[in-house]
Amino acid sequence: MDQLTLYDQILGLSSPWKTTSVELHDSSEEILVTVSYDRGNPPLCPICRGNGRLYDSRRRTWRHLDTCQYKTIIQADVPRVACSEHGIHTLQVPWADSSSHYTMLFESRVLALAQENTISAVSRQLRLSWSNIDRIIRRGIARGLSRRWKVDCRHLHVDETSISTRREYITVLSNQAGMVLAIADGRSRDSLIACLRSIPIQWLSKTRSLSMDMSRAYIRAAHDFFGVRASKLIGFDHFHVARAITRSVDEVRKQDMKKLPSLERLQVHKNRYLWLRNGSELDTESRAEIDSHSALMSNTTIAWTLKEKAREIWKGKEPQTRNSWKQWARLARATGLRPLIAVAEMVLNHLTGIVVAMKSGFSNSRAEAINKNIKNLNRNAHGHRNKERYKAMIYFKFGRLDTSFSH
Ligand SMILES: [Zn+2]
């Protein structure tokens, strides 16, 4: 096979396109591949596919995958076609998307690498700038979003995420499969409304639960958007309730610590995480550790016991759930400890939503995983201080988009 035919095959060219020269430019470490259009062939109008006539041509270049580590550039004089009905249009070349400066194979490679690596790594490997990679990714996202035609919206999950260095937030809406469906700026009522509006209403008609933290803004958004359906949809999942309860234990612990003499304080401080962990995760040694501190940390021990009790209710999924929670809240209030009273109020105020989440049986683990992954993405990627780029990367990594060029 000669090298012209080889490049025909690599680029997937067929008549009227063919490779006409391959030049090696040693000084610039580049390979220049010239592809030509057979002018004996009457071109078709890109709009109506009817016969047109060659009008003129424009020279264009595209970066292709490297050949033996040489930067490889495709060059072609791309004809413009005159159609009696549609005027003058540039012919679509088979190896690249219109208006792109890269071949589809090159773009696909960028997308595949960027899925697995940081942008800096891709940038180094392909000798391509951040902003060019970003453009390729955004085009990929646009292709993927335009191709999303059926997404399971039965169980939705909304959460806020902060953006690394600034005190800025975004709202992320995902489904039970762990797919990011929509992202909006801020964490207000309007943020969630914007997310919901971006999803076709017929998909949302199948929604059975919308889990969230107990933020007033999201609750209001759900009521405003779903109307009377909202109270049946809003669920406060285990993750968020457990987080609130754990925080209250921590607050009680801090209050207890303040009362200790400094030597004991130091000793107890070392074990602060034991109090916040699940009881079932503690080994005998850790358990004994907690017991040994219980005299010094009596309020924390009470709070810890309540936290464990809440976990039992959650695990049990008994039909009397509502009553179990009410009883739990009574106990929490009876402690007279402010953080526990506050969390008891929270549980009572959101009881319907808590029970909805328990009944829906929808596991929140994927949504939690997404949240964690988004935070990791935030931490690992230096370029994500740019908010728009960060949002694009969330779609790209967790939107499960089909960014390929095949149709
Ligand atoms: Zn036409």
Side-chain angles (χ1 to χ4, degrees):
M1 187 190 290
D2 64 56
Q3 55 179 349
L4 300 183
T5 323
L6 177 68
Y7 273 96
D8 280 350
Q9 291 214 347
I10 290 173
L11 294 170
L13 301 183
S14 58
S15 172
W17 293 99
K18 67 175 198 286
T19 309
T20 47
S21 83
V22 177
E23 293 162 44
L24 173 67
H25 295 264
D26 237 338
S27 54
S28 55
E29 298 201 330
E30 273 185 13
I31 290 179
L32 183 67
V33 180
T34 306
V35 173
S36 305
Y37 184 84
D38 178 3
R39 290 175 167 267
N41 231 302
L44 301 180
C45 161
I47 312 287
C48 66
R49 318 298 301 163
N51 278 332
R53 82 186 154 74
L54 279 176
Y55 181 76
D56 62 0
S57 60
R58 298 272 163 97
R59 173 148 300 183
R60 291 195 54 199
T61 56
W62 298 264
R63 174 141 181 224
H64 185 57
L65 295 169
D66 291 359
T67 314
C68 303
Q69 293 180 14
Y70 279 87
K71 205 179 220 181
T72 302
I73 306 292
I74 312 292
Q75 164 185 285
D77 291 326
V78 182
R80 292 204 299 166
V81 184
C83 168
S84 51
E85 200 171 322
H86 298 103
I88 295 158
H89 289 279
T90 307
L91 216 59
Q92 175 69 50
V93 298
W95 57 85
D97 218 9
S98 57
S99 81
S100 173
H101 297 294
Y102 307 94
T103 64
M104 289 178 193
L105 280 172
F106 186 84
E107 290 201 34
S108 303
R109 179 92 183 116
V110 171
L111 293 170
L113 284 172
Q115 232 358 299
E116 306 295 331
N117 301 281
T118 64
I119 301 299
S120 328
V122 181
S123 172
R124 271 195 309 275
Q125 191 176 341
L126 297 178
R127 289 169 288 170
L128 190 65
S129 74
W130 256 85
S131 51
N132 285 331
I133 296 172
D134 186 51
R135 253 175 247 136
I136 290 173
I137 288 177
R138 277 164 201 257
R139 273 202 299 275
I141 293 170
R143 272 195 306 280
L145 286 178
S146 71
R147 232 176 262 166
R148 250 188 190 175
W149 57 277
K150 200 176 166 192
V151 172
D152 189 344
C153 286
R154 274 174 301 166
H155 297 290
L156 299 177
H157 176 89
V158 60
D159 212 347
E160 60 180 51
T161 299
S162 60
I163 297 175
S164 56
T165 48
R166 290 169 292 176
R167 285 185 179 275
E168 231 182 311
Y169 288 85
I170 51 169
T171 293
V172 177
L173 187 69
S174 55
N175 71 1
Q176 71 266 36
M179 186 191 239
V180 169
L181 304 178
I183 306 170
D185 290 343
R187 49 172 173 173
S188 65
R189 168 198 171 273
D190 292 350
S191 314
L192 177 53
I193 295 267
C195 285
L196 291 167
R197 280 207 183 123
S198 73
I199 294 173
I201 196 81
Q202 65 271 25
W203 297 358
L204 294 175
S205 66
K206 306 234 164 57
T207 304
R208 294 213 312 265
S209 75
L210 170 60
S211 78
M212 56 176 73
D213 63 13
M214 280 150 278
S215 111
R216 271 199 207 121
Y218 290 159
I219 296 170
R220 231 176 67 216
H223 279 283
D224 290 350
F225 188 89
F226 289 105
V228 284
R229 275 175 75 205
S231 57
K232 287 197 176 119
L233 296 180
I234 299 174
F236 304 109
D237 50 77
H238 185 200
F239 176 61
H240 290 113
V241 181
R243 190 166 61 182
I245 295 175
T246 304
R247 275 181 192 157
S248 73
V249 176
D250 201 34
E251 277 172 49
V252 174
R253 185 189 62 83
K254 282 179 190 153
Q255 289 174 4
D256 265 354
M257 294 278 287
K258 278 184 198 150
K259 290 180 278 180
L260 292 180
S262 51
L263 198 68
E264 270 96 347
R265 198 183 296 173
L266 200 69
Q267 193 194 354
V268 173
H269 182 71
K270 276 191 289 185
N271 299 315
R272 62 195 179 283
Y273 293 114
L274 293 182
W275 300 98
L276 310 178
R277 297 246 307 267
N278 282 349
S280 59
E281 288 171 8
L282 296 176
D283 53 25
T284 348
E285 206 179 317
S286 311
R287 200 108 201 180
E289 198 72 55
I290 283 200
D291 287 344
S292 73
H293 293 319
S294 60
L296 291 172
M297 307 280 283
S298 54
N299 287 342
T300 314
T301 310
I302 293 170
W304 187 79
T305 313
L306 274 165
K307 170 172 77 83
E308 291 302 303
K309 218 174 165 51
R311 233 164 45 78
E312 290 295 310
I313 301 176
W314 218 287
K315 263 191 347 212
K317 290 189 176 170
E318 47 201 295
Q320 292 304 311
T321 304
R322 190 173 269 275
N323 287 336
S324 306
W325 278 116
K326 281 185 180 164
Q327 201 184 355
W328 184 91
R330 265 199 297 277
L331 286 172
R333 274 171 162 170
T335 62
L337 298 167
R338 205 170 284 167
L340 293 180
I341 295 172
V343 88
E345 293 303 321
M346 180 210 81
V347 164
L348 290 176
N349 287 336
H350 298 90
L351 198 49
T352 307
I354 292 173
V355 175
V356 164
M358 290 175 74
K359 277 191 184 152
S360 82
F362 153 47
S363 156
N364 207 45
S365 54
R366 279 187 196 270
E368 285 170 46
I370 280 207
N371 204 292
K372 205 177 277 175
N373 288 338
I374 289 177
K375 289 210 164 82
N376 284 340
L377 181 69
N378 199 348
R379 216 168 294 134
N380 295 340
H382 313 294
H384 297 152
R385 281 179 208 123
N386 173 327
K387 185 163 74 174
E388 290 311 311
R389 199 173 263 176
Y390 178 47
K391 279 156 61 181
M393 285 312 285
I394 294 174
Y395 266 128
F396 180 60
K397 297 257 182 179
F398 312 115
R400 310 243 186 123
L401 298 168
D402 172 11
T403 57
S404 69
F405 286 92
S406 54
H407 294 282

